[in-house]
Amino acid sequence: MESTRLSQWLKLNLLVFVLVLLKAEAAYVPISYVHNAVIKGAVCLDGSPPAYHFDKGFGTGINSWLVQFEGGGWCNNITTCLGRKMNRLGSSKQMAKQIAFSGILNNRRLFNPDFYNWNRIKVRYCDGSSFTGDVEIVNPVTKLHFRGARVFNAVMEELLAKGMKNAKNAIISGCSAGGLTSILHCDRFRALLPQGAKVKCLSDAGYFINARDVSGTQHIEQFFSQVVTTHGSANNLPRSCTSRLNPKLCFFPQYVVSQITTPIFFVNAAYDSWQIKNILAPGVADPHGHWHSCKMDINNCSSNQLDLMQGFRTEFLRALTVLGNSPSKGMFIDSCYAHCQTEMQETWFRSDSPLLAKTTIAKAVADWFYERRLFHQIDCPYPCNPSCHNRVFEPQDNPEV
């Protein structure tokens, strides 16, 4: 009887410890709405105002700003955009009133040594175009607003007024579709800030490549082309790309990054789980579901599927070669089956975080930003890195495009 009680007591205390630890690893930050953006037509898909979460800097970080853009895929036509209109990816009315800040957004030195006391902002994503769309006409039936570029400008105006205009250090960052945002808007962000400020860009899981799927179809190129057309994005993509290529290609980083003049760092998995699921083996290219189990857990992949994934890695690394060896462009390309690694505490900075050259993502990014050392590392092929946190998906996770 006593041993049973002791066992229950130990379990209860362990549970309390875990809950306290989880709470310590993340702070909750309330939402702010940019109400004056509505009159400018800078709105979410449903016409609601843009939103962000702002945790103010303190101490030595009072004039340093980290603007992180939320991810969440894209909508490529009226049907898919209507599907987002009723949830947080299309309406600020549906967004949580507070969210957890962890990883690169954490406000404790223990979990985020170099950026913990910066002004940290999470810009919510509700336009479906990586903040590039701008269509003036609003269809009276669907009432969809394609105004992502205006949302970007409105949020930037508000942050500049709140003190970002005095920034001495600044980073534009993002994960997934937000990581693509930080690439496409990198030079634009730099132009908004004081000339003497140290301003750099960070893309996490935003380096989407133009590759054929397992059926030989360029599914992702067709999809991105539809996004650009639906949202009227062409005029808001980098002119250095659209002046040379069809705008639909300028949604792909590999055609844009060589022309970016602002320093930029890329954190990406060579076996990016979203890209494996949606570029290499999307559902339309796998009607019988042969890839389903493999995409949910890389441990379930057959030798043939792993061979095709190794081929995808080769193609991914080839798409990175346009970066060259410029010291202003850094990279942390691990061989994990993962997607987005800067916002999760366990992959950003913890005792068991992924390592490259014995370095965590947090240290690699900070060393590069503060110019303590260059960081340009590419991992060996899967499954060589034992420090990886390989993603295992639940059936409801990460819907495919």
Side-chain angles (χ1 to χ4, degrees), residues 18-200:
V18 169
L19 290 173
V20 168
L21 182 64
L22 287 173
K23 188 173 182 180
E25 285 191 359
Y28 285 85
V29 180
I31 198 167
S32 298
Y33 302 96
V34 191
H35 291 292
N36 65 4
V38 177
I39 197 168
K40 305 170 189 173
V43 292
C44 299
L45 286 168
D46 72 335
S48 58
Y52 62 92
H53 302 255
F54 182 10
D55 198 11
K56 288 186 178 181
F58 55 94
T60 58
I62 199 163
N63 288 318
S64 296
W65 293 72
L66 172 66
V67 184
Q68 177 92 344
F69 283 83
E70 184 180 26
W74 310 268
C75 57
N76 63 321
N77 54 39
I78 299 300
T79 302
T80 57
C81 289
L82 280 173
R84 295 165 80 99
K85 186 180 171 185
M86 302 306 292
N87 64 42
R88 65 176 179 82
L89 292 174
S91 172
S92 62
K93 297 174 186 175
Q94 306 301 322
M95 294 173 183
K97 297 296 185 271
Q98 58 178 9
I99 62 171
F101 271 23
S102 63
I104 195 171
L105 295 171
N106 204 302
N107 67 351
R108 292 184 62 195
R109 178 181 280 176
L110 177 66
F111 299 114
N112 188 23
D114 289 278
F115 308 110
Y116 72 99
N117 64 351
W118 285 33
N119 294 282
R120 286 152 291 104
I121 296 95
K122 180 72 169 282
V123 182
R124 301 305 298 270
Y125 183 39
C126 64
D127 67 276
S129 72
S130 285
F131 299 86
T132 62
D134 194 354
V135 176
E136 182 65 38
I137 297 171
V138 178
N139 185 296
V141 177
T142 64
K143 296 182 180 177
L144 283 169
H145 298 72
F146 300 111
R147 302 284 179 75
R150 296 192 200 185
V151 169
F152 178 89
N153 291 335
V155 173
M156 290 301 106
E157 285 175 16
E158 175 137 329
L159 295 179
L160 287 165
K162 285 183 176 290
M164 195 168 72
K165 66 176 184 286
N166 301 316
K168 292 180 180 176
N169 297 295
I171 295 175
I172 179 178
S173 182
C175 146
S176 193
L180 180 59
T181 299
S182 68
I183 295 171
L184 298 177
H185 290 282
C186 180
D187 284 338
R188 189 173 289 123
F189 180 73
R190 175 67 190 92
L192 294 171
L193 294 162
Q195 192 170 355
K198 185 191 291 289
V199 182
K200 300 188 179 184

Side-chain angles (χ1 to χ4, degrees), residues 10 15 47 69-70 112-113 144 160 214 226 234 273 293 322 333 349 359-360 393:
L10 288 171
L15 177 62
F69 283 83
E70 184 180 26
N112 188 23
L144 283 169
L160 287 165
V214 291
Q226 291 163 358
S273 56
S293 180
V322 296
I333 310 298
F349 187 76
T359 307
T360 61
F393 290 94

